[in-house]
Amino acid sequence: MNFQVEAPKKRGNRRMQRYYFRSTSTMIVRIWSSWLVHQTSEPFDIVPKDVVKLHLDAPDEGFMEFIPNFDVIILSSGHWFAKQSVYILNNEIVGGQLWWPDKSRPKKINNIEAFGISVETVIGAIVTHPNYTGLTIVRSYSPDHYEGGAWNTGGSCTGKEKPALDTELVENGFTNIMHEKQVTGFNRAIKKKTNGSKLKLMDITEAFVYRHDGHPGPYRSPDPNKITKRGPDGKPPPQDCLHWCMPGPVDTWNELVLEIIKREFEG
């Protein structure tokens, strides 16, 4: 919202970007943390160097070192748990996603369970940090709207021009279970709270299930010659039904964040 009235001074890189608004002495910092937990590419046990290892019981120190300086933290995560990675707990390999060569060695957890553990880990670290007293807002899992397949198997949101009606909703079991695991991790972390910080869940999942019209879809590419219609065989063109158009439905999230902040800091 500050962007609408003032052009900020921008500094940083892809991992951390800072926007300073002089008129209000406000600093907005965007920190990239794919899984919100500690990750490494170094070899571990049988896992080679190039495979990402996630220590699910340790938060990402890349942003934890900065949290005492923040008045408000907004966390969002989840979809990266569909990408290749190996899960480690107590220095033991307990699972993996798209990498598990030893079929005789059973996984103890899958990517959904790993997500829930990561949520509890990072929120637990924040609400027990001795030098953090700010407000943490956890944005719930953002739904995708691929119909007829996944992003890489012909899934589509082509032709969605209005929010869905109740009769048009398509059940997405993966979104439902990811949201459930996230809320469970959130509730478990609350019980660990020892500092003076505040914690709020901004639950957008159910409401945004209706916004199948809010994705770039086949217009994801700037190529002026891109294909946006189904072919003669009925197959849809490559498209993005996960990320959101900007401006678009996610502008509502800004309004929700502002309202939460106002209620917490202004009473």
Side-chain angles (χ1 to χ4, degrees):
M1 297 176 185
N2 280 334
F3 284 87
Q4 298 175 3
V5 296
E6 179 185 355
K9 287 188 174 181
K10 179 181 176 181
R11 296 179 179 175
N13 49 44
R14 183 179 183 274
R15 180 165 177 77
M16 178 184 290
Q17 297 174 329
R18 294 172 293 170
Y19 304 88
Y20 179 67
F21 298 85
R22 185 183 297 275
S23 63
T24 57
S25 296
T26 302
M27 176 77 78
I28 296 177
V29 181
R30 177 185 179 274
I31 300 177
W32 179 264
S33 178
S34 305
W35 290 274
L36 296 182
V37 292
H38 175 69
Q39 67 179 78
T40 177
S41 60
E42 294 303 312
F44 186 93
D45 197 343
I46 63 171
V47 190
K49 181 177 181 179
D50 294 335
V51 178
V52 174
K53 297 91 182 167
L54 302 178
H55 291 261
L56 298 176
D57 47 6
D60 183 353
E61 65 279 4
F63 74 86
M64 284 299 297
E65 63 176 302
F66 299 106
I67 70 168
N69 302 315
F70 296 146
D71 296 308
V72 178
I73 295 174
I74 302 173
L75 298 176
S76 62
S77 66
H79 288 281
W80 274 70
F81 279 87
K83 293 182 176 288
Q84 185 188 65
S85 52
V86 171
Y87 310 134
I88 299 172
L89 276 174
N90 297 317
N91 282 321
E92 176 190 356
I93 298 174
V94 292
Q97 171 69 2
L98 302 180
W99 192 93
W100 198 257
D102 187 357
K103 305 303 180 183
S104 65
R105 184 175 181 176
K107 296 180 184 179
K108 295 183 179 180
I109 63 171
N110 59 23
N111 63 327
I112 298 172
E113 295 162 327
F115 173 52
I117 295 170
S118 75
V119 171
E120 181 179 355
T121 293
V122 67
I123 299 176
I126 290 174
V127 299
T128 58
H129 195 293
N131 299 318
Y132 177 64
T133 58
L135 166 65
T136 301
I137 301 172
V138 180
R139 192 219 68 199
S140 69
Y141 190 78
S142 177
D144 67 75
H145 291 90
Y146 289 101
E147 295 182 14
W151 68 272
N152 58 346
T153 58
S156 170
C157 54
T158 296
K160 307 299 184 181
E161 298 177 353
K162 296 180 180 180
L165 301 174
D166 285 338
T167 55
E168 298 174 317
L169 294 180
V170 177
E171 185 74 13
N172 189 323
F174 187 74
T175 291
N176 294 342
I177 192 64
M178 289 291 276
H179 177 257
E180 178 185 323
K181 291 295 183 180
Q182 184 182 35
V183 173
T184 298
F186 177 91
N187 290 332
R188 287 176 176 171
I190 289 178
K191 298 177 182 179
K192 301 178 181 180
K193 187 172 176 293
T194 58
N195 60 21
S197 68
K198 299 177 181 180
L199 182 63
K200 294 293 180 181
L201 176 66
M202 190 175 85
D203 198 336
I204 57 87
T205 306
E206 181 178 357
F208 273 74
V209 165
Y210 289 84
R211 296 311 307 266
H212 59 188
D213 59 318
H215 304 287
Y219 300 96
R220 63 176 189 163
S221 169
D223 182 357
N225 299 314
K226 59 182 170 288
I227 300 173
T228 61
K229 304 295 183 182
R230 292 179 181 269
D233 56 0
K235 291 183 179 180
Q239 53 196 281
D240 183 351
C241 306
L242 169 62
H243 299 93
W244 300 92
C245 295
M246 295 182 68
V250 290
D251 291 317
T252 307
W253 297 354
N254 293 333
E255 301 289 343
L256 294 172
V257 167
L258 178 60
E259 183 62 27
I260 293 172
I261 292 174
K262 288 171 63 177
R263 292 185 182 189
E264 291 302 317
F265 288 98
E266 297 179 2

